[in-house]
Amino acid sequence: MGWVWARLKLRTTCDWKGVWGRVKPRTPCWSGENHELMRHYGSLPLGQVYANIWFAVKSFVDEVAAVPGGEHIRNCIQCGVCTGTCPAASEMEYPPRKIIALIRAGMRHEVLSSPSMWHCVSCYLCTVRCPRDIKPTEIAHALECLAIRQGFRVQGTRTPAMYRSFVDSVQRNGRVHEFGMMLKFYLTTNPLAALKITKVGLQLLLHKRMPLLPKKVKGREDLSRIIQRFRAVRSSA
Amino acid sequence: MKSYSYYPGCSSEATATGLDLSAKAIAKPLDMELIELEGWTCCGSTPYSSLDRLEAVVLAARNLALAEKTGLDLVTPCSSCFITLYGANLQLKENPQLMRQVGEALAVANLEYRGNVRVRHLTEALVIDVTPEEIASKIQDGLNGLKVAPYYGCQLVRPDYGFDDPESPQSLDSLVTSLGGEAVPYPLKNRCCGGSLIISEESLALGLIRKLLDNATENGAQCITTPCPLCQINLDAYQSRVNSKFKTSFNLPVLFVTQLIGLALGIDGKSLGLDKNIVSPGPVLEHVSRVKQEVKSGA
Ligand code: SF4
Ligand code: SF4
């Protein structure tokens, strides 16, 4: 058992090229899933153990290069145009140029537990200006997905909670219901912070720009069936 | 009359009601038919694709499949929906494996997508199909010199989907001019307002909004115009937050470009949803109607 946990830790803390070679994982693997499986079976199924080893030996830069938009990450010449251009750079511990350097150095843990990419405002300035066709915007969002998928707890940003409230609202209603989303966001983060924007909220309400109840959308059930089916198709592929 | 399949986007039901109302109101006088896509759902926007990129593509694909059935171009007034639907469309066409998986998923709702939809921004349709010249020919009094800061935001022109220059866009300027307004120089016209991060990272976004308001004021703008729902709510509804945070006193109306076009066409404010603007567009209306009265009394 200790051996499994050692792999788990290894997987998330460094890029380790071991003697195991590459083993195709049985299921995509992330910490949340490991916890679930452990709780259910008392130990990890062999396939999942393989999956963990696979993630341990797979290099971080390969993983990022495999996501749409990350393909050209190896071409980065570290010129810094992206960071120089980024309106959110001042809020980021690792602005775009630096985060790319960290990815290429295999520093998975530092990158995925960082709040930096969660400050990206999707302005795409870096993407249109990069002289090497790298898409730092896509990389930022891909890192967010990886961080969530691999169960990293990110401190120092409320963006993940906001995105989660958004997605929950879409999955429930078919369309995002803005009031419901805001309510959930403030309740799950810091209800007191909502006080600061009471004036904004009231004005939106008074100007009929904030309906309190979600609309019943015709395609709502269809959409959830499509999503369920897609999840099944994807995990069996 | 050219027909389009119309995708309003979720914000059209709440924070951007004015955009939806005004888009529909100007369509007819400009010989456009906007047929709302029946049963449309969320496009799979940035928050969704930041948590799960591929699942977000499925959300877009459902709408694309609905649009394909109509055989028309899919037009959306929302910049964020535009890049999401456009990007997902590209991804599906370039990645046959993803297309197959998405196809299997869509099949449970008897839908299929073959990749034949053309996704377009409403502003693009106005500039390329209708053309500013055509708009100008339909306008009588127009805005008569109203000084407007044309604010593109990010996602109308970036990532570069080929409709306007990502660094120095001109389409909104030409629309404003065609309406008889004056497009003031606006160096920050394609800079970011913070988007949805106004909710989670308020101080970052408020700083960006302040710069945009500052830059428009410095250049003598009487109002800002934008096609984007996120830009509009950030600049309009959060203007009071900027004022209280930075001790400023901005009072700059922020109109959707469709509202501005509607005004120039002589459509009444209520049909354009101008009563929903938070910073009162009163001064803009006054400027436009004063000019109209002068023209009338002169005639
Ligand atoms: S602009 Fe492009 S090449 Fe330059 S540092 Fe950024 S990602 Fe690398
Ligand atoms: S898209 Fe994100 S990372 Fe790139 S410049 Fe804009 S805020 Fe910075």
Side-chain angles (χ1 to χ4, degrees):
Chain A
M1 220 59 269
W3 182 81
V4 173
W5 284 114
R7 294 299 118 180
L8 270 176
K9 211 159 164 19
L10 192 61
R11 176 170 68 75
T12 52
T13 49
C14 73
D15 264 3
W16 178 67
K17 298 253 182 212
V19 291
W20 304 97
R22 289 180 182 214
V23 188
K24 195 165 184 325
R26 192 182 59 98
T27 55
C29 119
W30 52 87
S31 306
E33 185 168 337
N34 280 314
H35 284 301
E36 276 296 303
L37 289 166
M38 287 289 289
R39 224 184 36 220
H40 200 130
Y41 296 110
S43 69
L44 283 177
L46 199 59
Q48 192 65 25
V49 175
Y50 281 156
N52 291 337
I53 298 171
W54 185 69
F55 267 88
V57 299
K58 193 171 145 94
S59 93
F60 187 34
V61 66
D62 281 340
E63 219 175 306
V64 177
V67 296
E71 304 89 351
H72 304 298
I73 188 164
R74 287 195 177 78
N75 296 347
C76 171
I77 50 171
Q78 291 287 297
C79 66
V81 165
C82 49
T83 297
T85 242
C86 176
S90 60
E91 307 283 322
M92 295 175 174
E93 183 187 5
Y94 309 134
R97 183 197 63 80
K98 198 163 185 179
I99 218 160
I100 289 173
L102 293 178
I103 295 168
R104 297 201 303 191
M107 296 166 82
R108 180 199 307 269
H109 186 82
E110 287 75 0
V111 169
L112 294 186
S113 57
S114 151
S116 295
M117 58 274 191
W118 298 97
H119 287 86
C120 168
V121 286
S122 307
C123 73
Y124 293 90
L125 265 177
C126 53
T127 296
V128 297
R129 288 184 178 173
C130 171
R132 301 289 287 165
D133 264 354
I134 293 157
K135 298 175 175 136
T137 321
E138 302 301 331
I139 292 178
H141 296 316
L143 291 174
E144 292 166 343
C145 292
L146 289 176
I148 293 291
R149 201 137 55 97
Q150 298 182 14
F152 281 85
R153 273 187 210 291
V154 187
Q155 305 282 327
T157 171
R158 294 193 177 132
T159 309
M162 189 262 286
Y163 286 174
R164 179 78 356 245
S165 316
F166 184 100
V167 170
D168 287 349
S169 176
V170 169
Q171 288 175 346
R172 185 163 329 113
N173 305 307
R175 297 177 192 164
V176 67
H177 171 237
E178 288 169 305
F179 179 74
M181 170 208 148
M182 301 278 277
L183 195 67
K184 174 149 192 198
F185 168 74
Y186 282 109
L187 288 177
T188 52
T189 53
N190 179 4
L192 288 179
L195 289 177
K196 279 196 298 189
I197 63 145
T198 33
K199 185 170 167 207
V200 175
L202 277 176
Q203 278 175 330
L204 287 169
L205 223 77
L206 286 175
H207 287 83
K208 301 206 174 63
R209 285 171 72 170
M210 218 13 123
L212 298 180
L213 292 174
K215 229 180 169 174
K216 284 256 174 290
V217 179
K218 219 180 107 199
R220 197 181 44 166
E221 277 97 17
D222 274 0
L223 181 66
S224 16
R225 279 175 25 229
I226 292 171
I227 294 176
Q228 293 310 330
R229 180 79 193 122
F230 181 72
R231 287 179 183 165
V233 171
R234 183 160 67 161
S235 66
S236 68
Chain B
M1 179 167 297
K2 192 161 158 60
S3 302
Y4 302 87
S5 183
Y6 175 68
Y7 179 88
C10 301
S11 59
S12 71
E13 295 179 335
T15 47
T17 333
L19 176 60
D20 184 49
L21 286 172
S22 56
K24 286 174 177 155
I26 64 166
K28 203 160 174 234
L30 297 180
D31 281 336
M32 301 168 95
E33 190 189 14
L34 301 178
I35 307 165
E36 187 165 326
L37 197 62
E38 216 190 310
W40 60 270
T41 40
C42 168
C43 67
S45 80
T46 310
Y48 209 114
S49 68
S50 298
L51 296 192
D52 193 329
R53 291 186 96 49
L54 295 182
E55 210 168 285
V57 172
V58 183
L59 269 77
R62 180 175 180 275
N63 297 302
L64 293 169
L66 293 174
E68 198 173 51
K69 285 205 249 177
T70 68
L72 302 168
D73 285 358
L74 181 64
V75 156
T76 175
C78 169
S79 306
S80 184
C81 298
F82 168 64
I83 63 158
T84 305
L85 294 168
Y86 194 107
N89 203 15
L90 268 187
Q91 229 176 305
L92 285 167
K93 286 194 224 173
E94 284 168 3
N95 184 342
Q97 194 204 347
L98 180 63
M99 183 68 121
R100 216 172 27 249
Q101 292 180 346
V102 168
E104 261 184 67
L106 290 176
V108 297
N110 294 323
L111 286 172
E112 65 167 337
Y113 184 54
R114 296 167 186 274
N116 295 327
V117 171
R118 185 168 170 216
V119 179
R120 307 181 69 194
H121 195 285
L122 179 65
T123 311
E124 181 200 339
L126 288 170
V127 173
I128 310 276
D129 297 358
V130 182
T131 73
E133 294 75 30
E134 178 71 18
I135 297 177
S137 74
K138 300 200 160 102
I139 278 165
Q140 287 158 2
D141 312 330
L143 305 176
N144 210 6
L146 181 77
K147 290 189 163 72
V148 182
Y151 178 50
Y152 297 74
C154 304
Q155 302 184 344
L156 174 64
V157 290
R158 286 189 304 270
D160 190 1
Y161 289 143
F163 143 67
D164 201 343
D165 191 286
E167 296 283 357
S168 169
Q170 294 302 325
S171 49
L172 281 185
D173 292 64
S174 66
L175 279 176
V176 169
T177 316
S178 75
L179 303 176
E182 181 190 335
V184 302
Y186 193 28
L188 298 188
K189 61 174 149 179
N190 60 351
R191 292 316 170 92
C192 190
C193 70
S196 61
L197 265 64
I198 187 78
I199 303 172
S200 57
E201 300 296 339
E202 202 199 31
S203 65
L204 164 65
L206 288 179
L208 299 176
I209 299 169
R210 183 207 177 162
K211 285 188 204 156
L212 294 169
L213 293 169
D214 244 341
N215 196 230
T217 315
E218 276 162 18
N219 287 292
Q222 290 168 278
C223 72
I224 296 181
T225 193
T226 178
C228 173
L230 281 171
C231 299
Q232 202 279 345
I233 189 170
N234 282 8
L235 293 177
D236 182 26
Y238 284 86
Q239 209 172 108
S240 61
R241 285 287 299 142
V242 169
N243 283 337
S244 65
K245 179 161 184 196
F246 299 104
K247 311 272 173 289
T248 47
S249 54
F250 294 114
N251 188 24
L252 203 57
V254 185
L255 276 69
F256 286 113
V257 66
T258 40
Q259 291 179 318
L260 206 63
I261 297 175
L263 270 184
L265 287 166
I267 300 172
D268 68 289
K270 193 148 172 42
S271 316
L272 297 170
L274 279 170
D275 51 331
K276 301 190 187 298
N277 286 38
I278 292 181
V279 176
S280 162
V284 171
L285 293 171
E286 229 168 74
H287 180 98
V288 175
S289 65
R290 186 168 62 230
V291 171
K292 276 194 189 135
Q293 274 156 17
E294 278 167 21
V295 172
K296 270 189 200 123
S297 59

